[in-house]
Amino acid sequence: MTLARRLRLPLVVVVAFSLQLTVVSSLSVHGYHPDIMVLVVVLAALIGGSQRGAVVGFVVGLLTDLFLQTPIGLSALTYTVVGFAMGSLRAAVVDAAPWLVPVGAISGSALAVVGFALLEAIMGQPAVLHHGLAVVVLVVGVVNAVLALPSSRVLRWAMETPGGRPAAASAMSGRWGTRVGR
Amino acid sequence: MALSRRSTRPRSTLLLLVLASVTVITLGYRGGHSGWLAGARNLARDAFAPLQSAITAVLRPVGSFLEGAASYGSLQAENARLRRQLTSLRATAAQSQLYQRQDAELHRLDHLTFAPTIPVEAVADVIAGSPSNFQDTVELDKGLDAGIKTGMPVVSGSGLVGRVVEVSSSRATVALVTDPSSNTGVRYGSAGLVALATGQGEGKPLQVSLVQPGTPKSQLFAHELMVTSGGTGDLYPPGIPVGTVAGATLPPGALQEDVTLTPEVRPGQLQYVSVLAWTPPPGAP
């Protein structure tokens, strides 16, 4: 794989994170904002598999942690598990259809939001486990579900191997991962 | 055998990454705000600073334009030429409104009606919000280079915004009064009674705990202004407006009123803020 191709995924992550910091975080629905970094992790896992999903989750989580006041590593841990779980979901589904992308985005978002809130509560911030948590899950999940299909094209481009298929999907020809966004 | 090795590899990766995350969390806890992880945080903020500024500069006029366009109502019946003309005028008007708003904000920051004895360390631009839904913070475009230090209060022309909790050479993070971890000592009434205002997240009122044992009725009146108490060990100097009383009810059987406070500052509308040259006394929480 060429260097330019290898840099696609980091580029997508950096651009998505910059948008999250500047634009997305200023959009407010009932006091909460969407979280497109979860979507990046979920799509990377659905396209690249559980191993790649976990690695992308760890890196994206660590990057997010650098901009939060919570202990560094909380988002990394949450997103690693989300990436692995979503990658495993892809592996478990034999005849998956494109509609599983938004469904994966919703379930991955819910897992990320609730998982992070639980970890933060364990680390001494029980206030985050309030009734608004359901609204956060709804806002993040619905927005990510809407953005999932168009964004999956970008992630597929970022994770494409020279053969024209995402890294893990090339080893699983005929599976759903190769059809996402096409 | 090869198949077995392939299937266990993702699990080994997961285990390795989970262990790495737990290690980082532990190291972060032990290092607090001074370890190498804190240094990494500052480095990351500075590295993203130019990109953040560029995106904010590009998208702010677009947002203002859309805001301006939305306020004009439906113009579906207009023909294409008029629409183009109107669009151009809207852009100009929105830009003009933006400049007027910025000018008014800067004027108010130059003539603060509270904390007159405390000099302003820096006037900064709010360039980003928090990437998380579980904390209420904003990012300023200035940091250590502008003299900003951790703990300094941040105000707008109308009142308290929050305090600086992280600072790198070119960026500062401000925990807003609405952040769930934020506790602000407040004073109200002619007798100068003291209470504690706690954040409940963006868009929600502050929850006030009245510090008056044995007096369940506080005799608060609607829209009463509460200001920072500035007591010993407080995080803020006295006299900065925090918010106005939104509601005060005494639930049946309760010993204390349920009081909520509408913050004076709306974080979503912040653009310019002043960082005051004041730091909390040593030992403040």
Side-chain angles (χ1 to χ4, degrees):
Chain A
M1 206 181 338
T2 62
L3 182 66
R5 218 178 263 273
R6 281 179 192 278
L7 288 176
R8 283 181 185 179
L9 188 55
L11 178 74
V12 167
V13 169
V14 167
V15 170
F17 192 67
S18 302
L19 288 173
Q20 176 68 39
L21 280 180
T22 51
V23 184
V24 182
S25 63
S26 63
L27 303 171
S28 178
V29 184
H30 290 287
Y32 302 106
H33 56 71
D35 188 343
I36 58 171
M37 297 320 289
V38 179
L39 183 62
V40 171
V41 175
V42 169
L43 291 176
L46 289 176
I47 294 167
S50 56
Q51 190 175 2
R52 214 154 176 215
V55 173
V56 172
F58 180 76
V59 173
V60 167
L62 212 52
L63 181 65
T64 307
D65 280 327
L66 293 173
F67 288 78
L68 296 176
Q69 304 309 306
T70 47
I72 294 182
L74 276 195
S75 304
L77 183 55
T78 312
Y79 288 1
T80 298
V81 174
V82 169
F84 186 84
M86 288 299 113
S88 304
L89 174 75
R90 189 197 81 153
V93 179
V94 178
D95 287 317
W99 56 263
L100 266 181
V101 182
V103 170
I106 289 181
S107 47
S109 301
L111 185 63
V113 170
V114 175
F116 185 83
L118 280 174
L119 281 177
E120 214 182 331
I122 291 168
M123 301 299 281
Q125 284 285 339
V128 299
L129 292 175
H130 49 76
H131 61 276
L133 194 62
V135 185
V136 182
V137 169
L138 207 65
V139 170
V140 176
V142 169
V143 172
N144 283 348
V146 170
L147 295 176
L149 278 173
S151 308
S152 68
R153 286 175 180 270
V154 180
L155 261 293
R156 277 181 58 77
W157 168 80
M159 298 174 78
E160 213 172 43
T161 57
R165 285 176 175 171
S170 61
M172 302 174 69
S173 57
R175 300 291 292 275
W176 163 80
T178 59
R179 301 207 307 262
V180 175
R182 290 210 167 161
Chain B
M1 184 70 179
L3 187 68
S4 162
R5 198 180 303 134
R6 196 185 302 160
S7 65
T8 55
R9 212 174 131 200
R11 282 185 203 156
S12 315
T13 308
L14 175 69
L15 189 67
L16 195 73
L17 293 175
V18 167
L19 281 175
S21 303
V22 173
T23 308
V24 171
I25 292 170
T26 313
L27 288 174
Y29 249 111
R30 292 185 65 171
H33 287 283
S34 54
W36 62 271
L37 283 173
R41 260 186 173 150
N42 293 342
L43 201 69
R45 278 161 210 267
D46 287 338
F48 262 84
L51 202 59
Q52 268 179 293
S53 299
I55 292 176
T56 305
V58 169
L59 293 177
R60 188 172 279 166
V62 176
S64 301
F65 166 70
L66 291 174
E67 191 185 316
S71 66
Y72 275 83
S74 173
L75 290 166
Q76 289 173 349
E78 294 288 346
N79 63 39
R81 188 183 62 81
L82 282 173
R83 279 183 187 161
R84 277 201 302 275
Q85 199 176 355
L86 205 58
T87 305
S88 163
L89 286 170
R90 283 175 190 168
T92 312
Q95 196 71 34
S96 166
Q97 279 172 5
L98 176 69
Y99 289 147
Q100 278 176 16
R101 213 164 50 217
Q102 288 176 347
D103 189 47
E105 260 184 77
L106 286 169
H107 182 80
R108 281 210 305 273
L109 286 173
D110 268 349
H111 302 84
L112 290 177
T113 53
F114 45 85
T117 56
I118 303 171
V120 171
E121 187 66 57
V123 174
D125 195 355
V126 176
I127 54 157
S130 167
S132 168
N133 274 305
F134 298 109
Q135 66 178 39
D136 214 3
T137 59
V138 290
E139 199 88 2
L140 306 185
D141 70 337
K142 288 182 181 152
L144 285 168
D145 294 346
I148 297 175
K149 297 186 183 77
T150 305
M152 285 182 166
V154 179
V155 298
S156 76
S158 50
L160 186 66
V161 172
R163 69 189 193 102
V164 177
V165 288
E166 290 255 2
V167 62
S168 67
S169 56
S170 61
R171 289 289 182 271
T173 305
V174 179
L176 303 177
V177 284
T178 48
D179 186 82
S181 68
S182 168
N183 291 305
T184 309
V186 290
R187 203 175 281 279
Y188 65 97
S190 55
L193 299 166
V194 176
L196 191 69
T198 307
Q200 298 190 101
E202 189 188 335
K204 296 184 183 64
L206 306 177
Q207 186 71 43
V208 180
S209 309
L210 303 173
V211 190
Q212 297 172 78
T215 54
K217 286 296 280 180
S218 59
Q219 295 173 339
L220 280 163
F221 57 87
H223 308 301
E224 179 169 356
L225 181 69
M226 290 195 178
V227 298
T228 51
S229 59
T232 313
D234 263 10
L235 295 170
Y236 301 104
I240 304 174
V242 178
T244 50
V245 173
T249 53
L250 184 63
L255 293 173
Q256 207 172 54
E257 270 185 311
D258 192 4
V259 179
T260 52
L261 205 62
T262 305
E264 276 296 283
V265 173
R266 291 183 183 179
Q269 295 175 356
L270 281 176
Q271 186 169 348
Y272 294 110
V273 292
S274 286
V275 183
L276 300 182
W278 186 92
T279 47

